Amino acid sequence: MAPDPPAVERDLGPIRSEPGSLLEHVAVAVFGIDDEDRVCYWGPGAQSLFGHEARAVLSRPAAVLFPARPEHPERPQHPEHPEPAPGAPTTAEHLTERARTLGYWRVRLPALHRDGTVFDCGFRVFPVTGAAGGTVVMGLASRGDELDRVKTNLSFLDALFETCPIGLVMLDEELRYVHLNQALADMDGIPLAEHLGRRMQDIMITSDGGEYQRMLRAVARGGGPVVSTLVGLRTPGHPDRDQVRSVSFFPLSGAGDTRRGVGGLLVDVTDRERAILEATAARQRLALLDRASARIGTTLDVRVTARELVEAAMPDFCDGAVVELVEWMAEPEVFDPELPLVTRRIASGTTLGPAAVELVSGLERVTYPPGSSLHETLRTGRPLCVPVNEEFVTRTVVHEERARLLLDSGLTSIVIAPLVARGTVQGIAMFGRSAARPAFAEEDLSLAGELASRAALCLDNARLYSRVQDIALTLQRALLPSAPAAGPHVDIAHRYLPGSHVTEVGGDWYDVISLPGDRVALVVGDVMGHGVPAAAAMGRLRITAKTLARHTPEPEALLAELDACAQEAGIEWATCLYILYDPHTGRARIANAGHPPPLVRHADGTVETIGDVLGVPLGVGGVAFRSTEIDLPEGATVALYTDGLIEARGQDIDAGMEALRGQLRGDVGSLEEAADRILAHLLPDTATDDTVLVLARVRRAGGR
């Protein structure tokens, strides 16, 4: 049988196995052996496999394709095997004999390449009857290592579909199930056979508006692969179980006569995603607590602390929040669940619409009837989550209009957390969520309890501080002069400004003392420290100074006595400035115990600093005080002040002094207006220290 000349001329190369399969890249040699065991057909693949050209091998004995026959033809022969016995059938004769006897024979034999190398080869041989009645044994041959690779791959694929825990699927172009493994059937809860022929959308039911199906159709049309995409779904086999799967799909090429479609791998990651969500939520809760710890309690102001709690909770934790303090009639009062609960709303906020804004901010004093959810929270001392429904509204809200606002607010659930610190119920905090958020979980109740506990401690500290502050302010106001009168020769304007709400009451003080002979003593001082101790020390020094002024004519002697009093009272550091003015002479004697120096504004607008005498503060002891004497002309204005007026954070004290001098150089017609102007220009809104300012305009007796 002669070769096909056109095929040889076109040099088609080796014949390949069926395209689109695992055998696609395995070269197949085709050859024929006639009745005389000679090569009668030689295909291009045979030339590639054995190395012989057709003209060199046709009509030659087929034994040229094999090394000497081994003892067992079914086994590959090593090139170093000994020659077979004379007269024994050759390998080619054995091959053709088995083909004619069996009709088809498959065997692995050593083959001989033209270059003399021996290689393992797989043969499939079968007889073909010619038109003249003769038979030809046709052979198909491929390298053994290539066949082994294909067999390994096929075995792997079989094992993969049988044992792989990952869902494997093959879909046709219409996204119908063609092939799948048991792992995917178990995932779906539907027998494997019931999948075949059904569309994937009938099994994997998603609520993504068809996005999943559009993705699959894009892959089926030859688009790029989709890798590790998360899909949420349910299946008819598990209708009550939400699943999350990580899916990867790739197009099937449809090479040869294989089907086009989509191949895919699906992994159930529901537990993993749930764990990730829970871990993420836990991290978010911890982060919220961390931020809340930094933001709540920055001041000792009750309203500011409550507002900080609301701001810390929104919008990360809730859509609306309120903080309310319980109005106890007496303290400590025992909570009675049979009585109405009256609270005072001190902070609120919401990210929802107008109805919610009116709900949380439109009321300051709130009354809850007995049996409300708030009563239950205060009774148990634990946070409580309640749905916003007709039953809750009826039990909780007294006024019909407020009840309607609550139902229209958009809130669907509320967590009520008690504010309890040191065994005392401070009030309640309420956190609400709308339907746009997940409902409160058990972990959210714990978080609400943590937020409330931290806020309650800060609120209790603020409440106790406010009480101490009120006592100190009351004491200080009682000890300071309310309307000092200086007589006919000195006009006075005085101001005392306590520090901001974050600062305790200080020890600043002043006095104007009328003395015999029309003399006037001006005193200003500052006790180191804050709170009740500073206020008490200030009062003691002021009263002592006023008493000494009537009996001690010399300013330096008065400061010496005041210093001894401070040491006896344990006052470690206090400053004091004492000025004694005599209108008959126009002279003023000044003694200073470490206080900022007085300023004198003359009638022409010039300002003089009296800094000749400073001295050491009271309570130090061991240093004698001295005084200086100056002339105060008619109409001169003396300014006495404490360091709160000239000291500011980030500003040098000299700059503060120059600013005060600048203010005094201006028009000082009315002392009251001048005092207000000076404070307005020099004191920042963030001032944290007490401030005293005394302006005294002097006139000489007899108008001299």
Side-chain angles (χ1 to χ4, degrees):
M1 182 180 294
D4 184 0
V8 175
E9 292 172 4
R10 289 195 304 267
D11 191 20
L12 294 178
I15 296 176
R16 297 282 176 173
S17 62
E18 179 182 303
S21 71
L22 287 174
L23 295 171
E24 181 177 356
H25 299 290
V26 177
V28 179
V30 181
F31 60 92
I33 303 175
D34 61 15
D35 291 337
E36 296 180 1
D37 292 327
R38 294 179 179 274
V39 178
C40 62
Y41 178 80
W42 194 252
Q47 177 177 332
S48 175
L49 182 64
F50 293 98
H52 299 283
E53 295 183 1
R55 61 175 175 270
V57 76
L58 287 173
S59 300
R60 291 185 62 188
V64 72
L65 305 179
F66 303 95
R69 186 181 66 82
E71 294 300 323
H72 302 284
E74 288 80 359
R75 299 177 187 173
Q77 181 182 5
H78 193 275
E80 297 180 359
H81 283 178
E83 292 291 332
T90 66
T91 301
E93 292 171 344
H94 184 71
L95 193 70
T96 57
E97 185 272 329
R98 299 302 293 171
R100 291 187 178 96
T101 302
L102 301 176
Y104 176 83
W105 192 42
R106 183 179 64 185
V107 66
R108 295 284 287 271
L109 293 172
L112 181 65
H113 193 272
R114 178 175 174 272
D115 62 8
T117 58
V118 177
F119 60 94
D120 182 46
C121 190
F123 292 90
R124 287 167 174 78
V125 290
F126 51 91
V128 177
T129 302
T135 61
V136 174
V137 173
M138 297 300 300
L140 305 177
S142 297
R143 290 188 64 91
D145 54 358
E146 293 184 356
L147 292 174
D148 289 340
R149 177 174 55 83
V150 171
K151 287 173 62 178
T152 300
N153 289 341
L154 290 173
S155 299
F156 170 75
L157 289 176
D158 288 341
L160 184 67
F161 263 79
E162 286 293 330
T163 63
C164 180
I166 297 174
L168 303 175
V169 67
M170 176 180 174
L171 307 172
D172 65 14
E173 291 180 285
E174 300 300 322
L175 304 181
R176 293 183 294 246
Y177 288 91
V178 176
H179 190 33
L180 69 154
N181 64 348
Q182 189 60 45
L184 180 57
D186 294 340
M187 233 185 281
D188 293 336
I190 300 173
L192 190 150
E194 294 184 17
H195 283 75
L196 302 179
R198 298 177 65 179
R199 296 180 184 273
M200 178 169 266
Q201 66 185 27
D202 298 331
I203 303 295
M204 291 180 61
I205 302 170
T206 62
S207 57
D208 57 2
E211 181 61 29
Y212 178 59
Q213 291 300 313
R214 286 191 289 272
M215 177 186 73
L216 283 178
R217 284 194 290 271
V219 176
R221 288 194 296 266
V226 173
V227 179
S228 299
T229 298
L230 296 180
V231 179
L233 63 119
R234 288 191 178 187
T235 68
H238 302 297
D240 299 326
R241 184 196 304 172
D242 289 318
Q243 295 185 42
V244 180
R245 294 182 186 175
S246 174
V247 301
S248 298
F249 289 102
F250 49 90
L252 300 176
S253 66
D257 63 352
T258 60
R259 289 188 176 187
R260 291 185 177 273
V262 176
L265 297 87
L266 301 91
V267 182
D268 188 345
V269 294
T270 306
D271 293 339
R272 185 195 74 185
E273 291 300 309
R274 183 180 295 116
I276 291 174
L277 288 175
E278 290 175 354
T280 301
R283 285 195 298 271
Q284 291 173 343
R285 286 191 289 270
L286 288 174
L288 177 59
L289 277 177
D290 185 57
R291 292 194 301 271
S293 299
R295 296 175 62 179
I296 298 174
T298 60
T299 72
L300 288 172
D301 184 284
V302 172
R303 289 186 176 273
V304 172
T305 299
R307 187 166 61 249
E308 289 169 343
L309 171 58
V310 170
E311 292 172 352
M314 294 193 312
D316 294 338
F317 181 63
C318 62
D319 300 307
V322 298
V323 178
E324 299 175 3
L325 298 183
V326 177
E327 289 192 348
W328 299 118
M329 299 302 295
E331 188 178 353
E333 183 172 323
V334 178
F335 169 67
D336 188 348
E338 302 300 324
L339 296 177
L341 182 67
V342 181
T343 64
R344 179 165 47 91
R345 187 167 294 174
I346 60 173
S348 62
T350 182
T351 59
L352 301 178
V357 174
E358 174 63 21
L359 174 70
V360 301
S361 61
L363 201 63
E364 182 174 353
R365 196 169 183 271
V366 189
T367 301
Y368 298 99
S372 72
S373 300
L374 280 83
H375 285 73
E376 176 67 15
T377 298
L378 294 184
R379 185 185 65 82
T380 62
R382 294 192 297 270
L384 178 66
C385 182
V386 292
V388 178
N389 52 28
E390 292 284 353
E391 179 186 358
F392 168 72
V393 172
T394 302
R395 293 176 52 196
T396 306
V397 184
V398 176
H399 303 289
E400 182 177 348
E401 180 182 349
R402 305 292 299 175
R404 180 50 51 192
L405 276 175
L406 179 55
L407 291 173
D408 295 342
S409 66
L411 296 174
T412 57
S413 59
I414 293 175
V415 168
I416 307 169
L419 299 171
V420 181
R422 301 183 182 95
T424 301
V425 176
Q426 308 291 321
I428 54 101
M430 288 188 280
F431 310 97
R433 284 184 179 177
S434 66
R437 289 179 182 262
F440 286 110
E442 190 66 32
E443 295 80 5
D444 295 318
L445 266 69
S446 299
L447 176 59
E450 284 285 343
L451 288 173
S453 296
R454 299 185 184 205
L457 186 60
C458 295
L459 286 170
D460 193 51
N461 289 337
R463 179 180 64 87
L464 295 176
Y465 167 77
S466 297
R467 182 170 300 172
V468 174
Q469 183 79 336
D470 289 342
I471 294 172
L473 281 172
T474 302
L475 175 62
Q476 187 181 51
R477 288 165 182 162
L479 295 174
L480 287 173
S482 56
H489 305 296
V490 180
D491 295 330
I492 294 293
H494 59 94
R495 296 288 186 271
Y496 167 75
L497 272 70
S500 68
H501 64 274
V502 298
T503 306
E504 295 182 292
V505 170
D508 291 15
W509 55 284
Y510 63 95
D511 209 344
V512 181
I513 308 167
S514 297
L515 299 173
D518 297 327
R519 293 177 305 161
V520 176
L522 305 175
V523 189
V524 64
D526 185 0
V527 177
M528 183 181 68
H530 296 89
V532 174
M538 173 273 294
R540 186 166 188 170
L541 290 178
R542 175 179 174 263
I543 294 171
T544 302
K546 191 164 188 175
T547 302
L548 290 172
R550 301 183 187 278
H551 304 284
T552 306
E554 303 299 332
E556 63 270 25
L558 182 141
L559 289 185
E561 291 292 337
L562 208 57
D563 179 57
C565 174
Q567 294 183 60
E568 291 174 2
I571 301 172
E572 297 180 355
W573 191 280
T575 64
C576 181
L577 177 67
Y578 184 85
I579 300 178
L580 180 61
Y581 173 65
D582 187 345
H584 295 283
T585 63
R587 305 290 290 175
R589 296 189 63 187
I590 304 172
N592 194 342
H595 200 80
L599 302 179
V600 177
R601 181 192 187 277
H602 296 274
D604 62 0
T606 60
V607 178
E608 179 184 4
T609 302
I610 311 301
D612 297 340
V613 181
L614 289 177
V616 298
L618 303 175
V620 175
V623 180
F625 295 96
R626 60 189 182 89
S627 64
T628 188
E629 187 172 280
I630 64 171
D631 182 70
L632 292 179
E634 179 74 18
T637 300
V638 181
L640 293 84
Y641 51 92
T642 56
D643 56 6
L645 184 65
I646 59 173
E647 286 186 353
R649 183 174 299 175
Q651 174 183 285
D652 186 83
I653 191 171
D654 292 335
M657 288 285 293
E658 182 56 37
L660 177 56
R661 283 191 290 266
Q663 289 297 317
L664 289 173
R665 292 188 190 104
D667 182 26
V668 188
S670 166
L671 293 182
E672 296 293 336
E673 293 177 0
D676 290 338
R677 186 187 74 248
I678 291 171
L679 293 177
H681 282 83
L682 297 188
L683 281 187
D685 295 335
T686 57
T688 59
D689 199 2
D690 289 7
T691 298
V692 164
L693 174 63
V694 177
L695 298 178
R697 179 176 292 146
V698 301
R699 291 191 300 274
R700 294 193 176 187
R704 294 177 295 172

PDB file of all heavy atoms in Angstrom, residues 47 67 84 118 140 146 180 190-191 241 255 309 330 338 342 360 404 536 570 617 632 672 678 692 698-699:
ATOM      1  N   GLN A  47       6.999   8.862  10.460  1.00  0.00           N
ATOM      2  CA  GLN A  47       8.316   9.437  10.190  1.00  0.00           C
ATOM      3  C   GLN A  47       8.803  10.234  11.396  1.00  0.00           C
ATOM      4  O   GLN A  47       9.973  10.151  11.766  1.00  0.00           O
ATOM      5  CB  GLN A  47       8.241  10.327   8.952  1.00  0.00           C
ATOM      6  CG  GLN A  47       9.573  11.024   8.638  1.00  0.00           C
ATOM      7  CD  GLN A  47       9.494  11.841   7.372  1.00  0.00           C
ATOM      8  OE1 GLN A  47       8.723  11.539   6.464  1.00  0.00           O
ATOM      9  NE2 GLN A  47      10.318  12.869   7.303  1.00  0.00           N
ATOM     10  N   PRO A  67      14.059  -3.197  18.059  1.00  0.00           N
ATOM     11  CA  PRO A  67      15.332  -3.845  18.386  1.00  0.00           C
ATOM     12  C   PRO A  67      15.135  -5.347  18.406  1.00  0.00           C
ATOM     13  O   PRO A  67      14.024  -5.844  18.161  1.00  0.00           O
ATOM     14  CB  PRO A  67      15.657  -3.289  19.770  1.00  0.00           C
ATOM     15  CG  PRO A  67      14.323  -2.991  20.374  1.00  0.00           C
ATOM     16  CD  PRO A  67      13.445  -2.540  19.238  1.00  0.00           C
ATOM     17  N   PRO A  84      17.939 -12.496  20.414  1.00  0.00           N
ATOM     18  CA  PRO A  84      17.098 -13.695  20.550  1.00  0.00           C
ATOM     19  C   PRO A  84      17.735 -14.890  19.836  1.00  0.00           C
ATOM     20  O   PRO A  84      18.640 -14.735  19.014  1.00  0.00           O
ATOM     21  CB  PRO A  84      15.802 -13.268  19.870  1.00  0.00           C
ATOM     22  CG  PRO A  84      16.218 -12.215  18.894  1.00  0.00           C
ATOM     23  CD  PRO A  84      17.374 -11.507  19.511  1.00  0.00           C
ATOM     24  N   VAL A 118      16.567   3.404  21.573  1.00  0.00           N
ATOM     25  CA  VAL A 118      15.398   2.576  21.844  1.00  0.00           C
ATOM     26  C   VAL A 118      14.501   3.323  22.815  1.00  0.00           C
ATOM     27  O   VAL A 118      14.977   3.881  23.809  1.00  0.00           O
ATOM     28  CB  VAL A 118      15.816   1.216  22.443  1.00  0.00           C
ATOM     29  CG1 VAL A 118      14.590   0.392  22.800  1.00  0.00           C
ATOM     30  CG2 VAL A 118      16.715   0.464  21.458  1.00  0.00           C
ATOM     31  N   LEU A 140      -1.053   1.786  15.074  1.00  0.00           N
ATOM     32  CA  LEU A 140      -1.036   3.142  15.646  1.00  0.00           C
ATOM     33  C   LEU A 140      -0.053   3.119  16.800  1.00  0.00           C
ATOM     34  O   LEU A 140      -0.136   2.260  17.681  1.00  0.00           O
ATOM     35  CB  LEU A 140      -2.421   3.547  16.158  1.00  0.00           C
ATOM     36  CG  LEU A 140      -3.583   3.469  15.157  1.00  0.00           C
ATOM     37  CD1 LEU A 140      -4.902   3.827  15.852  1.00  0.00           C
ATOM     38  CD2 LEU A 140      -3.339   4.399  13.980  1.00  0.00           C
ATOM     39  N   GLU A 146       4.430   9.755  26.774  1.00  0.00           N
ATOM     40  CA  GLU A 146       3.305  10.649  26.532  1.00  0.00           C
ATOM     41  C   GLU A 146       1.990   9.975  26.897  1.00  0.00           C
ATOM     42  O   GLU A 146       1.081  10.606  27.451  1.00  0.00           O
ATOM     43  CB  GLU A 146       3.296  11.091  25.069  1.00  0.00           C
ATOM     44  CG  GLU A 146       4.484  11.988  24.714  1.00  0.00           C
ATOM     45  CD  GLU A 146       4.404  12.486  23.282  1.00  0.00           C
ATOM     46  OE1 GLU A 146       3.467  12.071  22.554  1.00  0.00           O
ATOM     47  OE2 GLU A 146       5.271  13.286  22.886  1.00  0.00           O
ATOM     48  N   LEU A 180     -21.263  17.093  37.273  1.00  0.00           N
ATOM     49  CA  LEU A 180     -20.911  17.661  38.574  1.00  0.00           C
ATOM     50  C   LEU A 180     -20.477  16.531  39.488  1.00  0.00           C
ATOM     51  O   LEU A 180     -20.702  15.352  39.191  1.00  0.00           O
ATOM     52  CB  LEU A 180     -22.085  18.425  39.194  1.00  0.00           C
ATOM     53  CG  LEU A 180     -23.308  17.615  39.667  1.00  0.00           C
ATOM     54  CD1 LEU A 180     -24.028  18.370  40.757  1.00  0.00           C
ATOM     55  CD2 LEU A 180     -24.264  17.344  38.513  1.00  0.00           C
ATOM     56  N   ILE A 190     -29.344  18.330  46.961  1.00  0.00           N
ATOM     57  CA  ILE A 190     -30.156  17.726  45.901  1.00  0.00           C
ATOM     58  C   ILE A 190     -29.350  16.600  45.277  1.00  0.00           C
ATOM     59  O   ILE A 190     -28.149  16.779  45.016  1.00  0.00           O
ATOM     60  CB  ILE A 190     -30.522  18.776  44.825  1.00  0.00           C
ATOM     61  CG1 ILE A 190     -31.329  19.912  45.454  1.00  0.00           C
ATOM     62  CG2 ILE A 190     -31.277  18.156  43.667  1.00  0.00           C
ATOM     63  CD1 ILE A 190     -31.583  21.063  44.497  1.00  0.00           C
ATOM     64  N   PRO A 191     -29.959  15.409  45.003  1.00  0.00           N
ATOM     65  CA  PRO A 191     -29.203  14.309  44.393  1.00  0.00           C
ATOM     66  C   PRO A 191     -28.536  14.735  43.097  1.00  0.00           C
ATOM     67  O   PRO A 191     -29.049  15.573  42.351  1.00  0.00           O
ATOM     68  CB  PRO A 191     -30.273  13.233  44.150  1.00  0.00           C
ATOM     69  CG  PRO A 191     -31.321  13.526  45.180  1.00  0.00           C
ATOM     70  CD  PRO A 191     -31.344  15.017  45.329  1.00  0.00           C
ATOM     71  N   ARG A 241     -31.460  27.882  54.808  1.00  0.00           N
ATOM     72  CA  ARG A 241     -30.065  28.129  55.157  1.00  0.00           C
ATOM     73  C   ARG A 241     -29.436  29.100  54.165  1.00  0.00           C
ATOM     74  O   ARG A 241     -29.388  28.842  52.962  1.00  0.00           O
ATOM     75  CB  ARG A 241     -29.267  26.824  55.144  1.00  0.00           C
ATOM     76  CG  ARG A 241     -27.814  27.010  55.600  1.00  0.00           C
ATOM     77  CD  ARG A 241     -26.960  25.829  55.210  1.00  0.00           C
ATOM     78  NE  ARG A 241     -27.492  24.568  55.722  1.00  0.00           N
ATOM     79  CZ  ARG A 241     -26.999  23.376  55.377  1.00  0.00           C
ATOM     80  NH1 ARG A 241     -25.972  23.313  54.518  1.00  0.00           N
ATOM     81  NH2 ARG A 241     -27.530  22.275  55.859  1.00  0.00           N
ATOM     82  N   ALA A 255     -13.298  22.946  21.621  1.00  0.00           N
ATOM     83  CA  ALA A 255     -12.410  22.499  20.543  1.00  0.00           C
ATOM     84  C   ALA A 255     -12.889  21.170  19.995  1.00  0.00           C
ATOM     85  O   ALA A 255     -13.384  20.314  20.724  1.00  0.00           O
ATOM     86  CB  ALA A 255     -10.979  22.387  21.062  1.00  0.00           C
ATOM     87  N   LEU A 309     -21.043  60.939  74.790  1.00  0.00           N
ATOM     88  CA  LEU A 309     -21.551  59.568  74.658  1.00  0.00           C
ATOM     89  C   LEU A 309     -22.394  59.432  73.404  1.00  0.00           C
ATOM     90  O   LEU A 309     -22.252  58.466  72.639  1.00  0.00           O
ATOM     91  CB  LEU A 309     -22.372  59.195  75.893  1.00  0.00           C
ATOM     92  CG  LEU A 309     -23.142  57.863  75.812  1.00  0.00           C
ATOM     93  CD1 LEU A 309     -22.191  56.704  75.545  1.00  0.00           C
ATOM     94  CD2 LEU A 309     -23.931  57.623  77.089  1.00  0.00           C
ATOM     95  N   ALA A 330     -35.022  62.817  96.394  1.00  0.00           N
ATOM     96  CA  ALA A 330     -34.042  62.893  97.481  1.00  0.00           C
ATOM     97  C   ALA A 330     -32.955  61.877  97.179  1.00  0.00           C
ATOM     98  O   ALA A 330     -33.175  60.891  96.482  1.00  0.00           O
ATOM     99  CB  ALA A 330     -34.695  62.586  98.835  1.00  0.00           C
ATOM    100  N   GLU A 338     -43.219  50.794  90.879  1.00  0.00           N
ATOM    101  CA  GLU A 338     -44.659  51.058  90.845  1.00  0.00           C
ATOM    102  C   GLU A 338     -44.964  52.536  90.645  1.00  0.00           C
ATOM    103  O   GLU A 338     -46.134  52.912  90.489  1.00  0.00           O
ATOM    104  CB  GLU A 338     -45.312  50.566  92.144  1.00  0.00           C
ATOM    105  CG  GLU A 338     -45.103  49.081  92.417  1.00  0.00           C
ATOM    106  CD  GLU A 338     -45.687  48.216  91.305  1.00  0.00           C
ATOM    107  OE1 GLU A 338     -46.749  48.594  90.759  1.00  0.00           O
ATOM    108  OE2 GLU A 338     -45.073  47.179  90.985  1.00  0.00           O
ATOM    109  N   VAL A 342     -39.326  59.876  86.288  1.00  0.00           N
ATOM    110  CA  VAL A 342     -39.141  61.201  85.690  1.00  0.00           C
ATOM    111  C   VAL A 342     -37.656  61.388  85.387  1.00  0.00           C
ATOM    112  O   VAL A 342     -36.810  61.197  86.267  1.00  0.00           O
ATOM    113  CB  VAL A 342     -39.643  62.314  86.624  1.00  0.00           C
ATOM    114  CG1 VAL A 342     -39.451  63.683  85.959  1.00  0.00           C
ATOM    115  CG2 VAL A 342     -41.109  62.093  86.973  1.00  0.00           C
ATOM    116  N   VAL A 360     -36.203  63.072  69.450  1.00  0.00           N
ATOM    117  CA  VAL A 360     -35.107  63.042  70.416  1.00  0.00           C
ATOM    118  C   VAL A 360     -34.808  64.407  71.019  1.00  0.00           C
ATOM    119  O   VAL A 360     -34.242  64.491  72.115  1.00  0.00           O
ATOM    120  CB  VAL A 360     -33.820  62.465  69.778  1.00  0.00           C
ATOM    121  CG1 VAL A 360     -34.070  61.061  69.267  1.00  0.00           C
ATOM    122  CG2 VAL A 360     -33.301  63.362  68.657  1.00  0.00           C
ATOM    123  N   ARG A 404     -46.871  58.935  68.328  1.00  0.00           N
ATOM    124  CA  ARG A 404     -46.904  58.928  66.869  1.00  0.00           C
ATOM    125  C   ARG A 404     -45.538  59.277  66.290  1.00  0.00           C
ATOM    126  O   ARG A 404     -45.096  58.703  65.290  1.00  0.00           O
ATOM    127  CB  ARG A 404     -47.968  59.921  66.391  1.00  0.00           C
ATOM    128  CG  ARG A 404     -48.128  60.038  64.883  1.00  0.00           C
ATOM    129  CD  ARG A 404     -48.287  58.697  64.197  1.00  0.00           C
ATOM    130  NE  ARG A 404     -49.319  57.883  64.824  1.00  0.00           N
ATOM    131  CZ  ARG A 404     -49.490  56.603  64.566  1.00  0.00           C
ATOM    132  NH1 ARG A 404     -48.663  55.977  63.732  1.00  0.00           N
ATOM    133  NH2 ARG A 404     -50.455  55.926  65.162  1.00  0.00           N
ATOM    134  N   ALA A 536     -10.897  78.678 100.727  1.00  0.00           N
ATOM    135  CA  ALA A 536     -10.836  78.891 102.178  1.00  0.00           C
ATOM    136  C   ALA A 536      -9.584  79.662 102.566  1.00  0.00           C
ATOM    137  O   ALA A 536      -9.630  80.583 103.402  1.00  0.00           O
ATOM    138  CB  ALA A 536     -10.870  77.536 102.888  1.00  0.00           C
ATOM    139  N   GLY A 570      -0.525  77.003 107.058  1.00  0.00           N
ATOM    140  CA  GLY A 570      -0.064  76.006 106.093  1.00  0.00           C
ATOM    141  C   GLY A 570      -0.266  76.423 104.656  1.00  0.00           C
ATOM    142  O   GLY A 570      -0.282  75.570 103.753  1.00  0.00           O
ATOM    143  N   PRO A 617       6.672  85.582  97.638  1.00  0.00           N
ATOM    144  CA  PRO A 617       5.283  85.270  97.966  1.00  0.00           C
ATOM    145  C   PRO A 617       5.096  84.988  99.453  1.00  0.00           C
ATOM    146  O   PRO A 617       6.043  84.638 100.179  1.00  0.00           O
ATOM    147  CB  PRO A 617       4.995  84.029  97.122  1.00  0.00           C
ATOM    148  CG  PRO A 617       5.993  84.072  96.023  1.00  0.00           C
ATOM    149  CD  PRO A 617       7.222  84.674  96.622  1.00  0.00           C
ATOM    150  N   LEU A 632       0.666 109.906  93.083  1.00  0.00           N
ATOM    151  CA  LEU A 632      -0.443 109.647  92.172  1.00  0.00           C
ATOM    152  C   LEU A 632      -1.120 110.975  91.853  1.00  0.00           C
ATOM    153  O   LEU A 632      -1.794 111.566  92.701  1.00  0.00           O
ATOM    154  CB  LEU A 632      -1.446 108.681  92.796  1.00  0.00           C
ATOM    155  CG  LEU A 632      -0.976 107.234  92.998  1.00  0.00           C
ATOM    156  CD1 LEU A 632      -2.057 106.401  93.649  1.00  0.00           C
ATOM    157  CD2 LEU A 632      -0.550 106.618  91.675  1.00  0.00           C
ATOM    158  N   GLU A 672     -16.219 101.464  84.425  1.00  0.00           N
ATOM    159  CA  GLU A 672     -16.979 100.238  84.187  1.00  0.00           C
ATOM    160  C   GLU A 672     -16.826  99.788  82.735  1.00  0.00           C
ATOM    161  O   GLU A 672     -16.590  98.608  82.450  1.00  0.00           O
ATOM    162  CB  GLU A 672     -18.460 100.463  84.521  1.00  0.00           C
ATOM    163  CG  GLU A 672     -18.737 100.769  85.986  1.00  0.00           C
ATOM    164  CD  GLU A 672     -18.452  99.578  86.885  1.00  0.00           C
ATOM    165  OE1 GLU A 672     -18.497  98.428  86.390  1.00  0.00           O
ATOM    166  OE2 GLU A 672     -18.183  99.782  88.080  1.00  0.00           O
ATOM    167  N   ILE A 678     -11.383  95.886  78.570  1.00  0.00           N
ATOM    168  CA  ILE A 678     -10.103  95.209  78.820  1.00  0.00           C
ATOM    169  C   ILE A 678     -10.292  93.695  78.888  1.00  0.00           C
ATOM    170  O   ILE A 678      -9.529  92.918  78.277  1.00  0.00           O
ATOM    171  CB  ILE A 678      -9.471  95.750  80.113  1.00  0.00           C
ATOM    172  CG1 ILE A 678      -9.009  97.198  79.903  1.00  0.00           C
ATOM    173  CG2 ILE A 678      -8.288  94.872  80.541  1.00  0.00           C
ATOM    174  CD1 ILE A 678      -8.569  97.875  81.186  1.00  0.00           C
ATOM    175  N   VAL A 692      -8.941  88.539  88.171  1.00  0.00           N
ATOM    176  CA  VAL A 692      -9.394  89.704  88.931  1.00  0.00           C
ATOM    177  C   VAL A 692      -8.839  90.956  88.253  1.00  0.00           C
ATOM    178  O   VAL A 692      -7.673  90.992  87.852  1.00  0.00           O
ATOM    179  CB  VAL A 692      -8.920  89.642  90.397  1.00  0.00           C
ATOM    180  CG1 VAL A 692      -9.045  91.013  91.069  1.00  0.00           C
ATOM    181  CG2 VAL A 692      -9.737  88.613  91.171  1.00  0.00           C
ATOM    182  N   VAL A 698      -8.058 107.950  91.251  1.00  0.00           N
ATOM    183  CA  VAL A 698      -7.844 108.708  92.496  1.00  0.00           C
ATOM    184  C   VAL A 698      -8.087 110.201  92.271  1.00  0.00           C
ATOM    185  O   VAL A 698      -7.866 110.736  91.177  1.00  0.00           O
ATOM    186  CB  VAL A 698      -6.416 108.468  93.035  1.00  0.00           C
ATOM    187  CG1 VAL A 698      -6.195 106.987  93.311  1.00  0.00           C
ATOM    188  CG2 VAL A 698      -5.364 108.976  92.045  1.00  0.00           C
ATOM    189  N   ARG A 699      -8.559 110.824  93.317  1.00  0.00           N
ATOM    190  CA  ARG A 699      -8.708 112.276  93.367  1.00  0.00           C
ATOM    191  C   ARG A 699      -8.120 112.765  94.685  1.00  0.00           C
ATOM    192  O   ARG A 699      -8.295 112.120  95.727  1.00  0.00           O
ATOM    193  CB  ARG A 699     -10.182 112.673  93.288  1.00  0.00           C
ATOM    194  CG  ARG A 699     -10.819 112.412  91.936  1.00  0.00           C
ATOM    195  CD  ARG A 699     -12.185 113.082  91.868  1.00  0.00           C
ATOM    196  NE  ARG A 699     -13.078 112.579  92.894  1.00  0.00           N
ATOM    197  CZ  ARG A 699     -13.840 111.478  92.769  1.00  0.00           C
ATOM    198  NH1 ARG A 699     -13.765 110.779  91.654  1.00  0.00           N
ATOM    199  NH2 ARG A 699     -14.625 111.093  93.748  1.00  0.00           N
TER     200      ARG A 699
END
